[in-house]
Amino acid sequence: PTLFRELDGEVRTKLIEDAPLRTFDDDQIIQQKGDDAIGFWVIEQGTVKIGQFRLDGEFRAIALLAEGDSYGELALFAASPRVVDAVADGPVKLRWIDAQVFERAIQSDPETMRRLVGNLAAQLQEVLDLVAGLGRGSSLSRVAAILDNFAAKGSSGTMIALGQKELAELSGLTRVTINKCLAILEARGALQRHYRRIEILDRRQLKAAAIA
């Protein structure tokens, strides 16, 4: 869940209409850890990887966001510098929502504020559940947990824009291991692999593998 989706439809439309459009190329850095939180981004087209650069320069993703998702609001509400880096996963188009414009749009709407707080709680619970599962699971259960998490709002037939590279970054596993895990899940009928896409066929199979 992302915060921007919780706003009233008219408010979202107005903010998007007034927001500058920015474009980024594949692997281009959009924001860096330590940047001031003076606004946030809404993805209009493409996907963005959220994570951190390690000391050796390798980027370790923790989330992959797509069209309609937003990011950067948490640092904005906390009035603190960014704690994650954001990198374009292919060509992307983003809208920049200025902090002051956003605050003016929501300050007189207590119902929206309640929904935003609820969204923040849901994000925290989702992260805690995922981290707990990844910490204790096998390679197969880690991959299954990530896929189930991405498919949480969908159903059978959900298409997830994830390739082996992204799954490796999210799970901390090698691409060889990812390929083996996907092959097992595909043989069980849980999913079907496509080019840089994974089609979820049976979430019950994913859930069973995630807790095994």
Side-chain angles (χ1 to χ4, degrees), residues 15-105:
L15 287 172
I16 289 295
E17 287 177 348
D18 295 339
L21 178 67
R22 295 285 306 278
T23 60
F24 295 87
D25 296 324
D26 185 31
D27 284 333
Q28 187 173 353
I29 296 174
I30 300 169
Q31 74 175 37
Q32 291 184 286
K33 180 181 178 181
D35 287 350
D36 291 332
I38 56 175
F40 64 92
W41 299 97
V42 178
I43 303 173
E44 185 166 295
Q45 183 178 322
T47 55
V48 175
K49 296 186 290 187
I50 306 297
Q52 287 186 347
F53 283 99
R54 304 196 309 184
L55 293 179
D56 61 5
E58 181 186 355
F59 183 77
R60 177 58 54 83
I62 59 173
L64 189 66
L65 304 180
E67 181 179 335
D69 289 334
S70 59
Y71 62 94
E73 308 101 317
L74 298 183
L76 181 64
F77 279 109
S80 63
R82 312 287 190 196
V83 296
V84 294
D85 303 299
V87 178
D89 184 43
V92 297
K93 294 182 180 180
L94 307 175
R95 293 285 181 175
W96 172 253
I97 309 296
D98 179 79
Q100 294 184 351
V101 174
F102 176 67
E103 290 170 359
R104 286 196 299 267

